[in-house]
Amino acid sequence: MNREVCVHTWPCSYYLELDKRWVPGKLSLTSCSLKFAADEAQETLVSFLLSGITAIKKEASHFVFSSITVLEKDNRKHWFSSLQPSRNAAFSVIEHFWRELLLSQPEAPLPATKGKELTGLMACSQKRLEDTARVLHHQGEQLDSITRGLDKMESDLDVADRLLTELESPSWWPFSSKLWKMPSETKLKGDTSTASPRALGKEGVVVRIPAVVSQRTASHVKPGSLTVLVSGLEIYDSSSVLMHRFEREDVDDIKVHTPYEISIRQRFIGKPDIAYHLISARMPEAIPVLEVQFSKKMEVLGDALTPSSTKTSSPAEKGCSMWHTASGLMDRAVHHEPCPGSQDGQPLQLQTTQPFISEGDAQELRQILRKLKGLALDTEAELERQDEALDDITAAVDRTTLTIDKHNRRAKKLT
């Protein structure tokens, strides 16, 4: 469980300065380190942390071309050459993870208490539940849009019924001209339904992460970003120019190769598919959101599980289990109940001298739990409303289908 996940591997050569020779092997990148293993002895010759790197450059000299140099804090320099599929592809990915690691490091690390750790976990659960509620809200708006569309369809079928009735009436029928007049409320309903059909399309940004983007060929990569919207996905380049937008219904499959590497594809018949390959150090933040939006289209390859084991449980289940855990720990800390490891019901000396969770952390946990409870209740209410809306939509579709069949039969008799 503690092993580092390999982000990517490139065949290359490493320069041994002591022997003055190049050694073929593979350069492996993890979320926090670089490793080079030789092909001959299958042993790791070089291994160093990304946090210990001071510079990464693309260099060339009189004895080597198209190389990547890595400078450590102790001024030790490493040379990597003959990188496949290209030097630029390897450099873009390595530099991205190095920069993201530097940006994510805290300025002044403080000793974390149990209360702070638990508060951080609860805040993460709250964020996941908020993302789920946002997606659920957009789904409800889509159901409302479908309901309005069915209402307009029923209104149009009423008009068609009047027209068919007039055509079926004999020419001497005195009331036929009145059938052409539409009620004013029908016109209003039609006008409001057709106005701005894309009003519900775009929603706010759920998550935006920097990424290294490639399309079709793995050798041609460029820095960019991935934006996950409630209504779709957007891929931008380094200049914030939109490269492609996937509508939610356009995405055919999302493959998770590693916790930091995914591919998105839209299939076409008769022409090439649209596919993008993305690698990001912050991809574990986006994968849980993608699982909520594209659960039936997600495919996890091999052991590509996120470090936080997002595939094991849903965000709602995590929030529920975290709720009970936090409540038990908080009550035990505030009321100084004996822990399971104490003997004869006597609390440990550590609990009497230093509380497990401070009063400030307990108060913050209470506030987060209240928010989680409110989100859970709102989510439950929205789910019940959507269930009723689905039942209404099913009944409306059945009515519309029967009406269309009846109108088709009447129209065939007239021809």
Side-chain angles (χ1 to χ4, degrees), residues 88-227:
N88 292 334
F91 177 80
S92 299
V93 176
I94 296 173
E95 186 190 37
H96 165 77
F97 274 81
W98 175 56
R99 290 183 179 275
E100 288 299 320
L101 182 64
L102 294 181
L103 293 174
S104 63
Q105 288 180 348
E107 297 180 358
L110 297 174
T113 62
K114 292 295 183 182
K116 294 296 182 183
E117 292 178 3
L118 190 55
T119 304
L121 291 174
M122 294 296 297
C124 292
S125 299
Q126 179 184 348
K127 184 178 182 301
R128 293 285 182 264
L129 191 55
E130 287 175 351
D131 295 340
T132 305
R134 193 177 296 113
V135 175
L136 190 63
H137 174 69
H138 177 67
Q139 181 176 299
E141 289 187 338
Q142 288 181 324
L143 292 177
D144 294 339
S145 178
I146 293 173
T147 303
R148 287 193 293 270
L150 288 172
D151 291 340
K152 183 181 182 300
M153 189 179 296
E154 290 183 355
S155 175
D156 294 340
L157 289 174
D158 290 339
V159 176
D161 179 66
R162 293 188 180 93
L163 294 176
L164 287 171
T165 302
E166 182 175 357
L167 292 174
E168 293 171 345
S169 302
S171 57
W172 49 266
W173 187 251
F175 305 104
S176 59
S177 59
K178 296 182 179 180
L179 296 174
W180 284 94
K181 298 180 180 180
M182 295 176 58
S184 57
E185 60 270 14
T186 304
K187 292 183 179 180
L188 284 175
K189 184 184 290 187
D191 294 340
T192 56
S193 299
T194 55
S196 183
R198 294 284 296 171
L200 299 173
K202 281 199 172 183
E203 286 289 325
V205 176
V206 179
V207 64
R208 179 185 288 115
I209 59 171
V212 179
V213 185
S214 62
Q215 187 180 13
R216 294 192 180 94
T217 59
S219 59
H220 183 67
V221 303
K222 61 176 66 176
S225 63
L226 170 67
T227 301

Side-chain angles (χ1 to χ4, degrees), residues 143-144 147 380-396:
L143 292 177
D144 294 339
T147 303
E380 183 181 4
E382 179 65 19
L383 282 173
E384 292 177 355
R385 188 191 72 83
Q386 291 186 17
D387 288 339
E388 295 177 358
L390 284 173
D391 294 338
D392 295 340
I393 289 173
T394 302

Side-chain angles (χ1 to χ4, degrees), residues 252 266-274:
D252 289 314
Q266 179 183 1
R267 295 192 184 97
F268 290 96
I269 299 176
K271 61 179 181 178
D273 299 340
I274 297 178

Side-chain angles (χ1 to χ4, degrees), residues 135 226-234 246-256 264-265 286-299 311:
V135 175
L226 170 67
T227 301
V228 182
L229 304 170
V230 183
S231 56
L233 304 174
E234 291 180 348
F246 291 95
E247 296 294 339
R248 189 171 179 179
E249 60 273 8
D250 293 341
V251 177
D252 289 314
D253 61 67
I254 299 177
K255 294 183 179 180
V256 182
I264 307 170
R265 183 174 60 169
I287 289 179
V289 182
L290 294 174
E291 286 178 342
V292 174
Q293 290 185 300
F294 307 96
S295 58
K296 296 183 180 179
K297 301 177 181 180
M298 291 273 290
E299 180 183 359
K311 290 292 289 183

